[in-house]
Amino acid sequence: MNILILGGGGREHSLAWATLQNPKCDTLFVAPGNAGIAQIATCVSLDIEDGTAVVQFAMAQAIDLVIIGPEAPLAAGVADDLRAADITVFGPSAAAARLESSKRFTKEICAAADAPTAGYAAFTDADAAKAHIRAHGAPIVVKADGLAAGKGVVVAPDEETACAAVDDMLGGAFGQAGAEVVIEEFMTGEEASFFVLCDGQDVLAIGTAQDHKCVGEGDTGANTGGMGAYSPAPVLTDAIANRAIEDIIKPTVAEMARRGTPYQGVLYAGLMIKNGAARLVEYNVRFGDPECQVLMLRLGGQALDLIQACAEGRLGEAKVNWADDHAMTVVLAAKGYPGAYEKGTKIGGLEAQSDTSKRVIFHAGTSRINGDLCANGGRVLNATARAETLRDARDAAYDLVDSVDWPEGFFRRDIGWRAL
Ligand SMILES: Nc1ncnc2c1ncn2[C@@H]1O[C@H](COP(=O)(O)OP(=O)(O)O)[C@@H](O)[C@H]1O
Ligand SMILES: [Mg+2]
């Protein structure tokens, strides 16, 4: 098979790595990729949000399968353009991607599907939103409806903070994405991520994970894209996961199909777990980054078979061959991230590392400048390992971290603390 992966982060490096573990893959292109991906696949510069450009490239290279990593090309309808050109693609249509690109839309789907989630109301008018906040009291959650790069949610401890968030969002802080706000009931419990493949009709759970969003140890400090993750998530037991499939995932997929916008791709459900049951926090329409890295290390080459079965509408006959293992990834980021940070600093120590099926350093923001490996983004490397226990996976992941020679980088020492 000739395969094209869209994206250039740690998520896409892990997708590329897993794809290449499968002998089915003959040629692998990644657009735009990064310095780590360039060591294993052919990187191409392509505007991945331009459907016409992606279709043209896929036709010219006789691509059999396109795997879309990030949400932006999905929301832009790149999967629709590929399907219209009869190219097999893993990823939802723009209409189905609204499960991530509109929080109000997801709430409407949940209501129609009777899926458990926080109570909500949606507003375009600030006074009405504030009246709702005063009527319900704090804590309360204010969300920009649209895509806001993980910055569009305020969990407000008091009414003033909530009202200020409303003014901010409706005042244009997030542009069009904040033209409407969703105000939600505050839920308590423990969060976990649940990953399910959907082919429009059938669903197949492929793993659970927990991540660490805060920049600082002990889950303190500013929010980031994620500083580490591990899989499985002990809080998401088989019993809770099965119930989430029946009560949340299947009704969602059925409602999307009923509306004529079937969901195809990976559905990433953020769940809040309490008293043995899960409620939906949000959906994402792609793999999480860095959660994907731990899932791919655990799945290995079968990930391609599952993704292909999903893209071809054959999930009903697919099975996951579970290894009874644990994986952890630790993110190395540039000092200053998620605020301002330096680019172009040199990274050493990786030459001594050879990837195995149990330990891989996935690259995120890296590039090669005059032959030197350099940092080119906020989140830069993902030291990822798997083992029989989470403790051993953690020790192996931190061994990898310690092998990296990058004085301008930092990482959290406490990834997995909740589960350990
Ligand atoms: N209704 C809620 N109750 C409690 N916490 C919430 C609620 N909604 C969101 N959160 C918290 O805010 C975080 C971000 O919200 P989420 O809906 O996942 O938005 P996004 O990931 O798009 O920023 C969640 O991971 C969760 O910790
Ligand atoms: Mg989220």
Side-chain angles (χ1 to χ4, degrees):
M1 287 176 83
N2 300 329
I3 298 171
L4 169 65
I5 297 175
L6 301 186
R11 169 179 50 210
E12 288 77 21
H13 191 181
S14 71
L15 285 166
W17 176 86
T19 296
L20 288 166
Q21 304 301 300
N22 191 314
K24 243 188 217 170
C25 176
D26 298 309
T27 316
L28 179 62
F29 295 97
V30 184
N34 59 39
I37 295 172
Q39 291 175 337
I40 59 171
T42 305
C43 292
V44 286
S45 74
L46 199 62
D47 179 356
I48 63 168
E49 290 176 41
D50 177 349
T52 309
V54 173
V55 167
Q56 258 172 19
F57 178 85
M59 302 263 238
Q61 299 295 332
I63 297 293
D64 300 297
L65 172 67
V66 180
I67 301 170
I68 302 182
E71 60 275 26
L74 294 167
V78 172
D80 303 75
D81 293 335
L82 286 160
R83 276 191 198 101
D86 244 347
I87 298 162
T88 306
V89 53
F90 176 77
S93 65
R98 289 190 74 206
L99 283 176
E100 176 163 354
S101 60
S102 169
K103 295 202 182 280
R104 182 180 51 76
F105 176 76
T106 294
K107 288 304 213 182
E108 286 170 7
I109 293 288
C110 283
D114 202 19
T117 184
Y120 84 105
F123 301 92
T124 52
D125 177 73
D127 290 336
K130 289 181 204 169
H132 177 89
I133 289 167
R134 291 203 192 86
H136 283 76
I140 195 161
V141 183
V142 182
K143 301 186 175 184
D145 173 60
L147 293 177
K151 297 183 174 76
V153 171
V154 174
V155 178
D158 50 64
E159 294 174 22
E160 290 63 44
T161 308
C163 291
V166 165
D167 282 332
D168 225 34
M169 290 176 194
L170 291 179
F174 298 101
Q176 236 352 76
E180 185 162 17
V181 295
V182 171
I183 300 183
E184 288 185 16
E185 162 204 357
F186 173 76
M187 297 188 284
T188 57
E190 189 171 340
E191 285 186 77
S193 307
F194 191 26
F195 296 88
V196 184
L197 299 185
C198 312
D199 65 3
Q201 193 170 358
D202 288 310
V203 303
L204 181 71
I206 56 161
T208 65
Q210 270 175 310
D211 71 347
H212 293 266
K213 286 277 179 223
C214 296
V215 71
E217 285 166 11
D219 291 336
T220 55
N223 243 339
T224 70
M227 293 301 292
Y230 50 93
S231 171
V235 64
L236 199 46
T237 60
D238 286 349
I240 298 174
N242 288 333
R243 223 175 122 184
I245 288 268
E246 296 304 323
D247 295 352
I248 302 175
I249 308 291
K250 281 187 181 168
T252 298
V253 168
E255 177 62 18
M256 293 300 286
R258 197 189 65 74
R259 293 183 178 216
T261 52
Y263 188 89
Q264 187 260 68
V266 60
L267 190 57
Y268 156 3
L271 301 177
M272 186 71 83
I273 293 147
K274 195 180 174 183
N275 301 332
R279 289 209 279 169
L280 185 78
V281 177
E282 65 156 351
Y283 281 127
N284 295 300
V285 299
R286 33 83 195 172
F287 283 109
D289 185 343
E291 292 95 324
C292 189
Q293 288 84 310
V294 284
L295 293 176
M296 290 304 130
L297 195 68
R298 291 187 66 209
L299 289 170
Q302 66 178 318
L304 176 59
D305 299 323
L306 298 171
I307 284 172
Q308 189 189 2
C310 179
E312 292 176 354
R314 295 185 288 102
L315 261 191
E317 59 193 56
K319 270 203 174 55
V320 184
N321 190 1
W322 290 112
D324 188 14
D325 62 1
H326 297 256
M328 183 178 288
T329 188
V330 179
V331 171
L332 288 97
K335 280 180 185 162
Y337 173 82
Y341 54 82
E342 219 184 306
K343 279 190 184 179
T345 56
K346 269 191 211 174
I347 304 167
L350 267 67
E351 309 74 23
Q353 290 297 329
S354 55
D355 295 349
T356 70
S357 66
K358 295 200 160 161
R359 294 158 162 242
V360 189
I361 297 182
F362 295 119
H363 291 221
T366 64
S367 62
R368 243 177 233 284
I369 304 175
N370 302 326
D372 292 328
L373 183 66
C374 293
N376 185 37
R379 292 189 298 162
V380 173
L381 297 170
N382 308 111
T384 314
R386 72 183 166 94
E388 263 171 50
T389 67
L390 184 59
R391 202 168 287 275
D392 288 346
R394 176 195 59 186
D395 292 346
Y398 280 106
D399 277 349
L400 279 179
V401 168
D402 291 334
S403 72
V404 176
D405 177 16
W406 182 35
E408 290 82 10
F410 79 97
F411 58 91
R412 278 179 60 168
R413 265 282 163 208
D414 66 341
I415 302 304
W417 67 270
R418 209 181 287 276
L420 290 162

